[in-house]
Amino acid sequence: MTALVSVATFTDPRLTAGIDADKNPTQAVAHWMRRDIVRGVFAPLERLKVEQLTQFYGVGHSPVREAILLVSARGLIEHEHNKGYRVAGMSLADYNDLIDIYQRTYQLALQMAVERGGEAWEERVVLALHRSLKVSKVMTDGDPEARELWQQAYKSLHEEILSGCGSPILMGVVGNLGDRAERYVNLHADLATDRARDSHAEHRVIVEAIVSGDADRLHALLDSFFEGGEPMRATIRRNLAELDQPKRGRGSVRSVRGRRPATAA
């Protein structure tokens, strides 16, 4: 594991709402593990050993095993026959494929949302925007808990924008791809260009287009939104191209480090 602290140690009520390790330890660990992998607490190809994870998260063996299976279904954990589980690897080919399909499925969900969403959807989007505007944008070199708050606000707004599509299947696909894309940003991006972007302003005009019912402008704004991230994605591609992954060891998880989760027994 890296020196990054787990999301299980975060105490802000906005991050802990709905997460109760006593009542539903499996769901709690699945959430923590998913976010920890996306944030880089667990390194690519790192072995995930149940005994160490039970100590790290302060829960029993069964919830950890079940959580590993849940997170595996999201494409963040890989299983090797007779070797157990490890964090999914990362590569340039995977990233290019991921971004292509993510943008295509996002645009599909958006188109369906425009067609199916009504006033109730528009109201939810406006509320999500209002909430997101209260959260400051924080980069990966900032306070970890503040960064997680920003990521949650960002993701919640985009999830609400797409929720009008009315398809749980499509929302699940886009959400899983989004987690994987975020992981590449956290581990391999140079965020200098993203730091200068006014994300609040970009989100505001997108929501205005939704409320006004201007579908053409909405799609144009989303195209521009994706294009604005291309300089950052270029840095990810350069870093991945330099990554000699076959020569990187695939050893076991190193000794657990970092603070013990606040909810640990």
Side-chain angles (χ1 to χ4, degrees), residues 160-200:
E160 206 63 79
I161 288 173
L162 299 183
S163 69
C165 74
S167 170
I169 293 176
L170 184 54
M171 288 293 294
V173 170
V174 176
N176 290 344
L177 294 175
D179 280 347
R180 292 172 60 184
E182 181 191 346
R183 180 172 173 239
Y184 274 100
V185 170
N186 290 334
L187 273 66
H188 293 290
D190 179 342
L191 296 176
T193 56
D194 191 62
R195 192 184 302 271
R197 294 180 69 180
D198 188 343
S199 299
H200 287 319

Side-chain angles (χ1 to χ4, degrees), residues 10 12 14-15 35 128-129 131-140 142-158 182 185-186 191 194-195 197-204 225:
F10 296 163
D12 191 295
R14 291 169 292 181
L15 296 176
R35 292 305 303 161
L129 172 66
R131 289 172 175 167
S132 72
L133 294 178
K134 294 183 176 182
V135 181
S136 298
K137 182 176 181 178
V138 178
M139 311 309 289
T140 53
D143 176 75
E145 193 160 349
R147 168 70 177 179
E148 186 68 7
L149 281 169
W150 164 247
Q151 290 299 97
Q152 177 176 280
Y154 181 100
K155 290 170 68 69
S156 294
L157 174 57
H158 283 265
E182 181 191 346
V185 170
N186 290 334
L191 296 176
D194 191 62
R195 192 184 302 271
R197 294 180 69 180
D198 188 343
S199 299
H200 287 319
E202 293 181 67
H203 287 154
R204 190 180 291 108
F225 182 82

Side-chain angles (χ1 to χ4, degrees), residues 13-263:
R14 291 169 292 181
L15 296 176
T16 59
I19 301 172
D20 191 328
D22 294 325
K23 293 182 179 179
N24 198 332
T26 296
Q27 291 298 328
V29 175
H31 171 76
W32 293 333
M33 193 180 303
R34 175 176 64 86
R35 292 305 303 161
D36 284 346
I37 291 175
V38 169
R39 293 173 57 247
V41 173
F42 300 99
L45 302 181
E46 188 169 356
R47 297 290 180 194
L48 296 174
K49 294 187 175 181
V50 172
E51 186 62 38
Q52 290 179 326
L53 292 171
T54 59
Q55 297 175 19
F56 188 64
Y57 289 121
V59 298
H61 291 73
S62 293
V64 168
R65 292 192 183 96
E66 293 168 0
I68 287 174
L69 294 177
L70 290 175
V71 181
S72 296
R74 303 178 75 102
L76 294 171
I77 294 176
E78 301 171 350
H79 179 260
E80 285 188 304
H81 184 61
N82 292 331
K83 292 185 179 181
Y85 293 90
R86 68 182 185 185
V87 179
M90 307 178 86
S91 69
L92 178 59
D94 177 69
Y95 181 68
N96 286 333
D97 184 30
L98 168 65
I99 293 303
D100 177 40
I101 300 305
Y102 174 65
Q103 292 187 3
R104 290 172 186 265
T105 52
Y106 190 105
Q107 292 285 12
L108 173 61
L110 179 65
Q111 179 61 42
M112 292 172 61
V114 170
E115 296 171 354
R116 298 178 176 182
E119 289 187 7
W121 165 60
E122 294 176 3
E123 291 174 357
R124 294 197 306 270
V125 171
V126 171
L127 179 59
L129 172 66
H130 176 70
R131 289 172 175 167
S132 72
L133 294 178
K134 294 183 176 182
V135 181
S136 298
K137 182 176 181 178
V138 178
M139 311 309 289
T140 53
D141 57 358
D143 176 75
E145 193 160 349
R147 168 70 177 179
E148 186 68 7
L149 281 169
W150 164 247
Q151 290 299 97
Q152 177 176 280
Y154 181 100
K155 290 170 68 69
S156 294
L157 174 57
H158 283 265
E159 287 173 357
E160 206 63 79
I161 288 173
L162 299 183
S163 69
C165 74
S167 170
I169 293 176
L170 184 54
M171 288 293 294
V173 170
V174 176
N176 290 344
L177 294 175
D179 280 347
R180 292 172 60 184
E182 181 191 346
R183 180 172 173 239
Y184 274 100
V185 170
N186 290 334
L187 273 66
H188 293 290
D190 179 342
L191 296 176
T193 56
D194 191 62
R195 192 184 302 271
R197 294 180 69 180
D198 188 343
S199 299
H200 287 319
E202 293 181 67
H203 287 154
R204 190 180 291 108
V205 294
I206 288 171
V207 172
E208 287 174 355
I210 290 175
V211 174
S212 68
D214 192 340
D216 291 338
R217 182 166 182 261
L218 175 60
H219 284 287
L221 288 170
L222 260 297
D223 287 341
S224 177
F225 182 82
F226 281 128
E227 289 172 4
E230 188 54 35
M232 178 193 68
R233 288 191 288 273
T235 68
I236 295 176
R237 294 187 177 97
R238 284 198 298 270
N239 288 332
L240 290 171
E242 296 173 359
L243 184 63
D244 189 7
Q245 205 164 44
K247 293 183 180 180
R248 295 166 67 94
R250 293 188 177 183
S252 299
V253 176
R254 295 185 293 279
S255 60
V256 175
R257 298 200 301 273
R259 292 180 290 165
R260 187 175 180 81
T263 54

